[in-house]
Coordinates of all heavy atoms in Angstrom, one line a residue:
I1 N -89.8 -5.5 -45.9 CA -90.8 -6.4 -46.5 C -91.1 -7.6 -45.6 O -92.2 -8.0 -45.3 CB -90.4 -6.9 -47.8 CG1 -90.3 -5.7 -48.9 CG2 -91.2 -8.0 -48.4 CD1 -89.7 -6.0 -50.2
E2 N -90.1 -8.2 -45.0 CA -90.2 -9.3 -44.2 C -90.8 -9.0 -42.8 O -91.7 -9.8 -42.4 CB -88.8 -10.0 -43.9 CG -88.9 -11.3 -43.1 CD -89.8 -12.3 -43.8 OE1 -89.8 -12.4 -45.0 OE2 -90.5 -13.0 -43.1
Q3 N -90.6 -7.8 -42.3 CA -91.2 -7.4 -41.2 C -92.8 -7.3 -41.4 O -93.6 -7.6 -40.5 CB -90.7 -6.0 -40.8 CG -91.4 -5.4 -39.5 CD -90.9 -4.0 -39.2 OE1 -89.7 -3.7 -39.6 NE2 -91.7 -3.1 -38.6
L4 N -93.2 -6.7 -42.6 CA -94.6 -6.6 -42.8 C -95.3 -7.9 -43.0 O -96.4 -8.2 -42.6 CB -94.8 -5.9 -44.1 CG -94.4 -4.4 -44.1 CD1 -94.6 -3.7 -45.5 CD2 -95.2 -3.6 -43.1
L5 N -94.6 -8.9 -43.7 CA -95.2 -10.2 -44.0 C -95.0 -11.2 -42.9 O -95.8 -12.3 -42.9 CB -94.5 -10.8 -45.2 CG -94.8 -9.9 -46.5 CD1 -94.0 -10.6 -47.7 CD2 -96.2 -9.7 -46.8
E6 N -94.1 -11.0 -41.9 CA -94.0 -12.1 -40.9 C -95.2 -12.5 -40.2 O -95.4 -13.8 -39.9 CB -93.0 -11.4 -39.8 CG -92.5 -12.6 -38.8 CD -91.6 -11.9 -37.7 OE1 -91.3 -10.7 -37.8 OE2 -91.2 -12.7 -36.9
P7 N -96.2 -11.6 -39.9 CA -97.4 -12.2 -39.1 C -98.2 -13.1 -39.9 O -99.0 -14.0 -39.3 CB -98.2 -10.9 -38.9 CG -97.2 -9.8 -38.9 CD -96.2 -10.2 -39.9
Y8 N -97.9 -13.2 -41.2 CA -98.8 -14.0 -42.1 C -98.1 -15.3 -42.6 O -98.6 -16.1 -43.3 CB -99.3 -13.2 -43.3 CG -100.0 -12.0 -42.8 CD1 -99.4 -10.8 -42.7 CD2 -101.4 -12.1 -42.4 CE1 -100.0 -9.6 -42.3 CE2 -102.0 -10.9 -41.9 CZ -101.4 -9.7 -41.9 OH -102.0 -8.6 -41.4
R9 N -96.8 -15.4 -42.2 CA -96.0 -16.6 -42.7 C -96.5 -18.0 -42.3 O -96.3 -18.9 -43.0 CB -94.5 -16.4 -42.3 CG -93.8 -15.2 -43.0 CD -93.6 -15.4 -44.5 NE -92.7 -14.4 -45.1 CZ -92.6 -14.3 -46.4 NH1 -93.4 -15.0 -47.2 NH2 -91.8 -13.4 -46.8
K10 N -97.1 -17.9 -41.2 CA -97.6 -19.3 -40.6 C -99.0 -19.6 -41.1 O -99.5 -20.7 -40.8 CB -97.6 -19.3 -39.1 CG -96.1 -19.4 -38.5 CD -96.2 -19.5 -37.0 CE -94.8 -19.9 -36.5 NZ -93.8 -18.8 -36.7
L11 N -99.7 -18.7 -41.9 CA -100.9 -19.0 -42.4 C -100.9 -19.9 -43.6 O -99.9 -19.8 -44.3 CB -101.7 -17.7 -42.8 CG -101.8 -16.6 -41.7 CD1 -102.7 -15.4 -42.2 CD2 -102.5 -17.2 -40.4
N12 N -101.9 -20.6 -43.9 CA -101.9 -21.5 -45.0 C -102.4 -20.7 -46.2 O -103.5 -21.1 -46.9 CB -102.9 -22.7 -44.7 CG -102.8 -23.7 -45.9 OD1 -101.8 -23.8 -46.6 ND2 -103.8 -24.4 -46.1
I13 N -101.7 -19.6 -46.6 CA -102.1 -18.8 -47.7 C -100.8 -18.5 -48.5 O -99.7 -18.5 -47.9 CB -102.8 -17.5 -47.4 CG1 -101.8 -16.6 -46.5 CG2 -104.0 -17.8 -46.6 CD1 -102.4 -15.2 -46.4
E14 N -101.0 -18.2 -49.8 CA -99.8 -17.8 -50.6 C -99.6 -16.3 -50.4 O -100.5 -15.5 -50.2 CB -100.1 -18.1 -52.0 CG -100.3 -19.5 -52.3 CD -99.7 -20.0 -53.7 OE1 -98.7 -19.4 -54.1 OE2 -100.4 -20.7 -54.3
I15 N -98.3 -16.0 -50.3 CA -97.9 -14.6 -50.2 C -97.0 -14.2 -51.4 O -96.0 -14.9 -51.6 CB -97.2 -14.3 -48.9 CG1 -98.1 -14.6 -47.7 CG2 -96.6 -12.8 -48.8 CD1 -97.3 -14.6 -46.4
I16 N -97.3 -13.2 -52.2 CA -96.6 -12.8 -53.4 C -96.2 -11.4 -53.3 O -97.0 -10.6 -53.4 CB -97.5 -13.1 -54.6 CG1 -97.8 -14.6 -54.7 CG2 -96.7 -12.7 -55.9 CD1 -98.8 -15.0 -55.8
P17 N -94.9 -11.1 -53.2 CA -94.5 -9.7 -53.4 C -94.5 -9.3 -54.8 O -94.3 -10.2 -55.7 CB -93.0 -9.8 -52.9 CG -92.8 -11.2 -52.2 CD -93.8 -12.0 -52.8
F18 N -94.8 -8.1 -55.1 CA -95.0 -7.6 -56.5 C -94.5 -6.2 -56.6 O -94.7 -5.3 -55.8 CB -96.4 -7.7 -56.9 CG -96.8 -7.2 -58.3 CD1 -96.6 -8.0 -59.4 CD2 -97.2 -5.9 -58.4 CE1 -96.8 -7.4 -60.7 CE2 -97.5 -5.4 -59.7 CZ -97.3 -6.1 -60.8
S19 N -93.9 -5.9 -57.8 CA -93.5 -4.5 -58.2 C -93.8 -4.4 -59.7 O -93.4 -5.3 -60.4 CB -92.0 -4.3 -57.9 OG -91.6 -3.0 -58.4
I20 N -94.3 -3.2 -60.0 CA -94.5 -3.0 -61.5 C -93.2 -2.8 -62.2 O -93.2 -2.8 -63.4 CB -95.5 -1.8 -61.7 CG1 -94.8 -0.5 -61.1 CG2 -96.8 -2.0 -61.2 CD1 -95.6 0.7 -61.5
K21 N -92.1 -2.7 -61.4 CA -90.7 -2.6 -62.1 C -90.2 -4.0 -62.3 O -89.1 -4.0 -62.9 CB -89.8 -1.7 -61.1 CG -90.3 -0.2 -61.1 CD -89.3 0.6 -60.3 CE -89.7 2.0 -60.3 NZ -88.8 2.9 -59.5
D22 N -90.8 -5.0 -61.9 CA -90.3 -6.3 -62.2 C -90.3 -6.5 -63.7 O -91.3 -6.2 -64.4 CB -91.1 -7.4 -61.6 CG -91.1 -7.4 -60.0 OD1 -90.1 -6.8 -59.5 OD2 -92.0 -7.9 -59.4
E23 N -89.2 -7.0 -64.2 CA -89.0 -7.2 -65.7 C -90.0 -8.3 -66.2 O -90.4 -8.2 -67.4 CB -87.6 -7.6 -65.9 CG -86.6 -6.5 -65.7 CD -85.2 -6.8 -66.2 OE1 -85.0 -7.8 -66.8 OE2 -84.3 -5.9 -65.9
T24 N -90.3 -9.3 -65.4 CA -91.2 -10.4 -65.9 C -92.4 -10.5 -64.9 O -92.2 -10.2 -63.7 CB -90.4 -11.7 -66.0 OG1 -89.9 -12.1 -64.7 CG2 -89.3 -11.6 -67.0
A25 N -93.5 -11.0 -65.4 CA -94.7 -11.2 -64.6 C -94.4 -12.4 -63.7 O -93.7 -13.5 -64.1 CB -95.9 -11.4 -65.5
N26 N -95.0 -12.4 -62.4 CA -94.7 -13.4 -61.5 C -95.4 -14.7 -62.0 O -96.6 -14.7 -62.2 CB -95.3 -13.1 -60.2 CG -95.0 -14.1 -59.1 OD1 -95.6 -15.2 -59.1 ND2 -94.3 -13.7 -58.2
P27 N -94.7 -15.8 -62.3 CA -95.3 -17.0 -62.8 C -96.3 -17.6 -61.9 O -97.3 -18.2 -62.4 CB -94.1 -17.9 -63.0 CG -93.0 -17.4 -62.2 CD -93.2 -15.9 -62.0
R28 N -96.1 -17.6 -60.6 CA -97.1 -18.2 -59.7 C -98.4 -17.4 -59.8 O -99.4 -18.0 -59.8 CB -96.5 -18.3 -58.3 CG -97.5 -18.8 -57.3 CD -98.0 -20.3 -57.7 NE -99.1 -20.7 -56.8 CZ -100.1 -21.5 -57.2 NH1 -100.1 -22.0 -58.5 NH2 -101.0 -21.8 -56.3
L29 N -98.3 -16.1 -59.8 CA -99.5 -15.3 -59.8 C -100.3 -15.6 -61.2 O -101.5 -15.7 -61.2 CB -99.2 -13.8 -59.8 CG -100.4 -12.8 -59.7 CD1 -101.3 -13.2 -58.6 CD2 -99.8 -11.5 -59.5
L30 N -99.6 -15.7 -62.3 CA -100.3 -16.0 -63.6 C -100.9 -17.4 -63.4 O -102.0 -17.7 -64.0 CB -99.3 -16.0 -64.7 CG -98.7 -14.6 -65.1 CD1 -97.5 -14.8 -66.1 CD2 -99.8 -13.8 -65.7

């Protein structure tokens, strides 16, 4: 996951990992 996201870490954008198996919805996404 970090390998995939590393090129975008220095951008001024939010990055949110997500899985439908997460027990709770991501609060920042909401």
Side-chain angles (χ1 to χ4, degrees):
I1 291 173
E2 188 52 40
Q3 178 185 332
L4 294 178
L5 297 178
E6 185 182 2
Y8 305 98
R9 290 296 191 191
K10 288 185 170 67
L11 303 186
N12 187 29
I13 65 171
E14 296 212 41
I15 300 175
I16 300 176
F18 175 82
S19 168
I20 58 172
K21 293 187 178 181
D22 293 340
E23 293 185 4
T24 59
N26 186 290
R28 178 54 188 152
L29 187 52
L30 290 172

